[in-house]
């Protein structure tokens, strides 16, 4: 029987605090539910002291999610620990995760605390956390640049104070796999009460070594890996969950360890995150990138056709990437659509099915064959979609080589129709200016992207707009075989998010790391 490695997901905390990845509580809940379906052991759902929005999101996940442990982050002080407890308290299985830096540079320059004071702060925070909660994780921030004797002293004190999990992060992504493995092994060997805690790894990817370091830590005895979907996180990100999990699964002969992950949920979770944040993964990203299972070279194609094992070390199906030529058309009914969605790992509620089916029917009028990529795009458009406060009724855009593009828009808000016209540097610019005019709102476009969801000239264009109202940002997504319409839908979707969740979104954006 192989031993179990616990997967701790920090997409909603370390991942969410990276620029461009902020999420509303409702969006966090959708990701949390996907993480539960994926089978992660722990969901770090936020940093409650950071902002009321962060606290609200942690409480929401604690109330709604069953199965995984729900963790909340806290610095090693009473206020943070109480806030974390306030957040995770409603959970079926709550965890307080408290931390303090232990490297000389962090203690001297950032904390301005002596090593003795750091040990005392850690001890006090852990004791308080244990009075509130039976499951307490303690992290030595910047462990990989800490002095080994001091690190062992802090870890021993932390376990004696009641920490049940000890995390030794490579906070700045500085360690090499050999060094990091040695660090984990040394601490486990030298700390007398080490057997009373589970050791955890948390690696950042500044040198592209986060996954390699995490696996080296596991080989040295760590039994919890902290990671994020698509590897998102501070700066260059965290170790990618899908890479760690598939390395352990594909090379089980080497690691002889198992996780509780349902790997077929990896691709849907990755799509969900990209859909909600509007940040795509690079095409050559391992496991979940668009090219991860594509074979272009003739010699490779020949090999794969003869036997996929020639060039594939895992099957696309095993990570939930659908390969069957799933094709639907205008004669396909609701049941066929639901069945197709389930096949690619998307479990939607009735309201979501209603919306996706409506959009699917509209798409069938324009496109003969609706492919799997189209379906993924339609589902993504509906992730965490707020009510349609603004509805795009119609638009017209004129673009010519000898005069500036012109756009006119009809927009509905609460039964009233607003019309506006505008010109711009390009057709999309003119269109956005007209939507803004009709909405009577002043917004700025932070980011805009357009891509084809499938191949062919009738491919579904997928537009993503990130808007700001000066304090808050929101991301919207729109799909259409007409890229101008896709852009308009994305703009209106982002606008609806800003209108619908004003306070929560604002809090999250202004959150961040209070210790920096
Ligand atoms: O990278 C890090 O050290 C962290 C800790 C707060 C666990 O994210
Ligand atoms: Zn981190």
């Amino acid at each position: 029987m192989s031993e179990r490695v616990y997967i701790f997901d920090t997409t909603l905390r370390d991942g969410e605090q990276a620029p461009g990845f902020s999420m509303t509580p409702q969006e966090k809940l959708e990701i949390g539910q996907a993480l539960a379906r994926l089978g992660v052991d722990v969901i770090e759902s936020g940093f409650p002291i950071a902002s009321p929005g962060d606290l609200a999101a942690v409480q929401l996940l604690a109330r709604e999610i069953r199965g995984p442990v729900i963790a909340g982050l806290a610095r090693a002080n009473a206020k943070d620990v109480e806030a974390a407890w306030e957040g995770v308290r409603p959970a079926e299985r709550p965890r307080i995760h408290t931390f303090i830096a232990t490297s000389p540079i962090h203690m001297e320059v950032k904390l301005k605390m002596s090593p003795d004071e750091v040990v005392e702060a850690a001890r006090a925070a852990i004791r308080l956390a244990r009075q509130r909660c039976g499951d307490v994780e303690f992290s030595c921030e910047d462990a990989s640049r800490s002095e080994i004797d001091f690190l062992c002293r802090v870890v021993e004190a932390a376990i004696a104070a009641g920490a049940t999990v000890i995390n030794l992060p490579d906070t700045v992504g500085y360690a090499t796999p050999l060094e990091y493995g040695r660090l984990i092994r040394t601490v486990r060997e030298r700390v007398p009460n080490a057997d009373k805690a589970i050791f955890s790894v948390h690696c950042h990817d500044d040198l592209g070594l986060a996954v390699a370091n995490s696996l080296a830590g596991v080989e040295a005895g760590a039994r919890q890996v902290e990671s994020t979907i698509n590897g998102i996180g501070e700066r260059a990100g965290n170790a990618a969950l899908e890479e760690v999990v598939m390395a352990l699964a594909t090379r089980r002969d080497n690691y002889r360890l198992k996780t509780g992950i349902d790997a077929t949920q990896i691709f849907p979770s990755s799509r969900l995150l990209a859909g909600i944040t509007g940040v795509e993964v690079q095409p050559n990203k391992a496991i979940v990138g668009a090219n991860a299972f594509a074979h272009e070279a003739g010699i490779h194609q020949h090999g794969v056709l003869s036997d996929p094992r020639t060039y594939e070390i895992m099957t696309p199906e095993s990570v939930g990437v659908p390969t069957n030529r799933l094709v639907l058309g205008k004669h396909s009914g609701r049941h066929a659509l639901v069945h197709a969605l389930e096949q690619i790992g998307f479990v939607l509620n009735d309201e979501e099915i209603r919306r996706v089916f409506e959009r699917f029917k509209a798409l069938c009028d324009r496109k003969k064959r609706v492919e799997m990529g189209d379906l993924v795009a339609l589902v993504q458009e509906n992730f965490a979609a707020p009510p349609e406060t603004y509805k795009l009724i119609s638009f017209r855009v004129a673009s010519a080589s000898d005069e500036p593009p012109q756009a006119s828009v009809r927009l509905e808000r609460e039964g009233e129709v607003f019309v506006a016209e505008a010109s711009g540097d390009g057709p999309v610019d003119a269109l956005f200016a007209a939507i803004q005019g009709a909405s009577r709102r002043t917004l700025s476009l932070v980011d805009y992207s357009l891509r084809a969801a499938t191949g062919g000239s009738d491919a579904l264009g997928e537009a993503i707009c990130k808007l700001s109202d000066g304090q808050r940002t929101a991301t919207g997504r729109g799909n259409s075989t007409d890229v101008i319409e896709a852009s308009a839908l994305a703009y209106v979707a982002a606008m609806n998010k800003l209108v619908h969740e004003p306070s929560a979104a604002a809090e999250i954006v202004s959150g961040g790391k209070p210790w920096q």
Side-chain angles (χ1 to χ4, degrees):
M1 271 258 293
S2 43
E3 239 186 281
R4 181 87 142 72
V5 174
Y6 298 103
I7 300 297
F8 175 116
D9 182 276
T10 184
T11 304
L12 299 176
R13 199 278 298 168
D14 213 321
E16 200 256 356
Q17 75 195 23
F21 287 93
S22 61
M23 293 175 233
T24 64
Q26 193 52 39
E27 289 170 334
K28 282 185 152 195
L29 180 60
E30 289 228 25
I31 300 280
Q33 283 161 341
L35 292 171
R37 285 196 293 276
L38 180 62
V40 305
D41 298 287
V42 185
I43 297 176
E44 186 165 54
S45 50
F47 186 18
I49 195 79
S51 70
D54 243 38
L55 173 63
V58 174
Q59 287 172 327
L60 182 64
L61 269 83
R63 277 196 307 272
E64 299 291 326
I65 298 207
R66 291 293 168 261
V69 169
I70 303 293
L73 186 67
R75 288 167 297 186
N77 66 60
K79 239 176 116 189
D80 277 41
V81 170
E82 295 291 11
W85 176 234
E86 222 23 62
V88 298
R89 188 184 198 152
E92 183 184 44
R93 299 165 66 203
R95 174 181 293 182
I96 297 175
H97 175 193
T98 184
F99 75 97
I100 193 163
T102 50
S103 65
I105 182 157
H106 277 237
M107 291 192 290
E108 279 162 35
V109 178
K110 187 182 76 174
L111 298 175
K112 302 195 188 334
M113 286 167 81
S114 69
D116 286 351
E117 287 170 327
V118 165
V119 178
E120 256 335 291
R123 209 179 254 144
I126 294 163
R127 281 198 187 124
L128 176 63
R130 272 307 297 262
Q131 282 167 20
R132 305 283 179 262
C133 183
D135 185 352
V136 174
E137 171 167 340
F138 173 69
S139 291
C140 301
E141 193 190 12
D142 208 13
S144 54
R145 293 192 300 170
S146 302
E147 284 167 359
I148 191 72
D149 290 345
F150 180 62
L151 195 61
C152 290
R153 181 180 157 206
V154 179
V155 169
E156 184 178 350
I159 297 172
T164 45
V165 178
I166 295 291
N167 182 34
L168 300 177
D170 183 24
T171 302
V172 291
Y174 179 74
T176 65
L178 209 66
E179 281 170 358
Y180 193 64
R182 197 184 304 135
L183 175 87
I184 302 289
R185 187 167 288 111
T186 307
V187 176
R188 288 186 60 235
E189 281 170 6
R190 283 186 34 190
V191 170
N193 50 4
D195 61 322
K196 300 206 165 38
I198 291 175
F199 277 76
S200 172
V201 291
H202 175 118
C203 300
H204 281 269
D205 210 29
D206 300 67
L207 293 173
L209 293 171
V211 171
N213 283 340
S214 302
L215 293 170
V218 166
E219 285 188 301
R223 288 295 174 263
Q224 176 179 283
V225 178
E226 306 200 355
S227 53
T228 57
I229 303 289
N230 297 343
I232 70 168
E234 282 284 350
R235 306 181 309 280
N238 288 64
L241 181 148
E242 58 277 9
E243 296 177 25
V244 171
V245 166
M246 290 317 289
L248 291 173
T250 310
R251 296 307 313 276
R252 197 150 168 194
D253 60 318
N254 179 62
Y255 294 106
R256 300 189 184 286
L257 294 165
K258 62 178 181 205
T259 69
I261 296 293
D262 172 1
T264 61
Q265 289 294 323
I266 284 179
F267 182 72
S269 310
S270 164
R271 293 286 79 215
L272 175 64
L273 182 66
I276 282 181
T277 59
V279 184
E280 263 306 330
V281 293
Q282 84 229 32
N284 61 325
K285 165 83 179 62
I287 321 289
V288 292
N291 294 350
F293 294 95
H295 303 278
E296 190 70 33
I299 190 167
H300 287 208
Q301 287 178 345
H302 179 233
V304 170
L305 286 174
S306 311
D307 184 337
R309 289 172 303 176
T310 49
Y311 287 100
E312 277 180 6
I313 57 167
M314 60 200 136
T315 64
E317 293 88 347
S318 69
V319 292
V321 174
T323 49
N324 55 338
R325 301 299 298 159
L326 180 70
V327 178
L328 297 173
K330 66 176 174 193
H331 300 297
S332 310
R334 204 181 151 96
H335 282 301
L337 177 72
V338 171
H339 178 70
L341 290 171
E342 278 172 6
Q343 265 194 304
I344 54 176
F346 291 114
V347 183
L348 307 187
N349 63 33
D350 289 348
E351 173 55 19
E352 288 165 336
I353 291 170
R354 191 193 61 72
R355 287 200 217 192
V356 173
F357 188 60
E358 205 176 280
R359 299 281 295 122
F360 165 73
K361 280 293 174 192
L363 181 61
C364 290
D365 286 339
R366 294 184 174 187
K367 202 169 185 270
K368 255 203 193 119
R369 293 150 50 91
V370 176
E371 295 172 38
M372 196 280 305
D374 297 318
L375 282 190
V376 173
L378 289 186
V379 176
Q380 282 181 314
E381 188 185 73
N382 279 277
F383 286 145
E388 277 187 300
T389 309
Y390 290 101
K391 198 168 176 170
L392 180 70
I393 301 183
S394 63
F395 69 92
R396 180 175 291 274
V397 176
S399 180
S401 56
D402 52 358
E403 54 188 58
Q406 296 283 337
S408 64
V409 161
R410 287 164 69 81
L411 210 59
E412 185 189 304
R413 181 176 179 157
E414 286 152 5
E416 211 178 329
V417 176
F418 299 90
V419 181
E421 291 185 358
S423 58
D425 288 337
V428 172
D429 190 40
L431 176 73
F432 289 171
I435 297 176
Q436 250 201 71
S439 70
R440 315 275 197 273
R441 294 177 69 90
T442 309
L443 303 169
S444 54
L445 185 66
V446 179
D447 210 358
Y448 165 70
S449 67
L450 185 63
R451 68 170 200 122
T454 51
S457 57
D458 66 346
L460 199 58
E462 197 177 15
I464 295 172
C465 275
K466 191 172 274 187
L467 298 182
S468 165
D469 66 0
Q471 287 170 301
R472 301 163 294 138
T473 61
T475 302
R477 185 176 277 267
N479 294 296
S480 173
T481 46
D482 174 341
V483 294
I484 299 288
E485 185 179 49
S487 307
L489 290 170
Y491 195 97
V492 173
M495 220 162 62
N496 280 332
K497 274 195 189 166
L498 280 175
V499 183
H500 187 64
E501 276 195 271
S503 55
E507 297 299 341
I508 285 179
V509 172
S510 64
K513 280 181 165 184
W515 69 88
Q516 281 186 338

